[in-house]
Amino acid sequence: MGLFQTRKPRGFNYTPRYYDPEREKWKKVEEDAKRRLGIIPPKEFKPEDLKGAFVEATKHLKKRKERGKPRLNSGVLVIAMVFLFAILYFLITS
C-alpha cells in the first residue's frame, strides 16, 4: 500500500580511491602545532567556519539536513482533506 509509505532510494556508498582520512587528521594536527609554536600566523576567526558545526554533531539533525526541506506525506494529506470535508459537510447540513 503506497499511500502511507514512501520508498527510500538505494544507498550510495562512495569511497574515494586516493583519500586517506588518517593523513588529513595528521595534517591538521601538524598545522595546529605550527600555529601554537608561532611558525604559522594564527588563523582568523570567520563565522562561516561555524556554519553547520552544530548540525554535524548530532545524527538526527544531520539526517534532516540530508533529506532537505520537509515534504508533506500523501497519507497525512488525504486524512487532512477527509477531515476538512467532514467539517464542511457538518457546517452545511446544520
Side-chain angles (χ1 to χ4, degrees):
M1 187 169 166
L3 187 62
F4 297 105
Q5 294 178 355
T6 56
R7 294 182 64 196
K8 294 187 180 179
R10 184 178 50 169
F12 184 70
N13 194 8
Y14 173 71
T15 53
R17 185 174 283 181
Y18 300 111
Y19 177 70
D20 185 14
E22 194 71 23
R23 182 176 178 192
E24 292 288 327
K25 183 181 90 171
W26 284 111
K27 215 181 252 190
K28 186 177 180 198
V29 169
E30 181 182 359
E31 185 178 328
D32 289 342
K34 285 182 181 179
R35 285 192 197 285
R36 277 189 266 128
L37 290 173
I39 298 171
I40 300 176
K43 191 174 182 182
E44 290 183 24
F45 172 74
K46 295 180 184 175
E48 296 87 28
D49 294 340
L50 290 178
K51 187 175 184 177
F54 302 109
V55 172
E56 296 296 322
T58 58
K59 289 182 183 178
H60 67 280
L61 290 177
K62 193 185 304 183
K63 286 181 184 177
R64 182 183 292 175
K65 183 180 177 185
E66 289 172 359
R67 270 190 267 138
K69 64 179 185 177
R71 296 183 300 249
L72 189 59
N73 192 356
S74 61
V76 173
L77 185 63
V78 169
I79 292 171
M81 287 177 57
V82 168
F83 183 70
L84 289 175
F85 281 128
I87 291 174
L88 184 64
Y89 175 75
F90 286 122
L91 289 176
I92 290 174
T93 57
S94 58

